[in-house]
Amino acid sequence: MPAGNSQELPVILIRDHDGNVIEKISVKEWLRRKALPQNENFEIKLYREALNYYAIDEMDKAEDLLLYLCELSDYTHYEYVERVANIYRRENRPDKERCVLLLAYRKLRLDPVAARIDRRLEKLDRAFLPKTAFMNQAIIGN
């Protein structure tokens, strides 16, 4: 057997209820499997806390937690992104709303949820960007 990382060698035996070995996994794989539920549980608790702050109109605290969750999930968890974008909409901060949506769109552009993000970005553009005629007048000088 070649010498390598000892944590990648299959040394943990996964057994069924009868004691039969059903799988052999490495320590590294076992740690990865055990870490996922704890991490998800932590995220769920943070998200619930953010929702509590949102419900009692403590938007700055909710925003902080949601931005942390967005960063933690690399802007791929749309519920976090959508909620923080809603905070920015309520506070009339279209620049922030657009920024967080664009970050998520960049990560999720191949996901079906990208169509929702795209529609929301279009609404933002229509509501807050200057109209085309106005831009043409500014460029032409009329």
Side-chain angles (χ1 to χ4, degrees):
M1 185 177 288
N5 187 347
S6 63
Q7 290 192 352
E8 293 178 5
L9 297 175
V11 294
I12 296 178
L13 304 175
I14 308 294
R15 299 179 187 268
D16 63 10
H17 294 304
D18 298 327
N20 300 321
V21 176
I22 56 173
E23 186 179 8
K24 293 180 183 179
I25 61 172
S26 67
V27 171
K28 190 175 186 179
E29 175 64 16
W30 183 78
L31 289 172
R32 186 190 67 77
R33 290 182 187 181
K34 290 295 182 184
L36 281 177
Q38 293 172 354
N39 189 28
E40 289 174 3
N41 191 26
F42 177 67
E43 284 184 37
I44 290 169
K45 286 180 181 179
L46 285 181
Y47 186 58
R48 285 182 182 157
E49 191 64 26
L51 292 178
N52 287 335
Y53 285 131
Y54 189 90
I56 60 174
D57 283 334
E58 291 193 32
M59 295 304 164
D60 55 335
K61 292 178 183 177
E63 177 187 359
D64 288 343
L65 285 175
L66 289 166
L67 285 175
Y68 176 77
L69 288 167
C70 287
E71 286 289 325
L72 191 66
S73 67
D74 199 27
Y75 290 86
T76 59
H77 202 294
Y78 186 64
E79 282 107 1
Y80 306 154
V81 172
E82 185 177 39
R83 187 65 69 167
V84 78
N86 288 342
I87 289 173
Y88 293 144
R89 175 162 294 168
R90 286 180 65 176
E91 294 178 345
N92 196 25
R93 296 165 62 190
D95 53 333
K96 292 280 196 174
E97 181 181 358
R98 184 171 176 69
C99 181
V100 75
L101 289 170
L102 285 172
L103 283 169
Y105 187 81
R106 181 178 295 161
K107 301 290 182 174
L108 297 169
R109 67 178 166 261
L110 300 177
D111 192 287
V113 78
R116 291 180 66 187
I117 298 171
D118 194 39
R119 284 192 301 272
R120 188 160 178 170
L121 285 168
E122 285 176 7
K123 286 181 185 178
L124 267 172
D125 290 347
R126 282 194 305 271
F128 293 101
L129 290 180
K131 304 297 182 237
T132 308
F134 175 74
M135 289 298 287
N136 288 341
Q137 289 176 351
I139 293 170
I140 297 170
N142 288 336

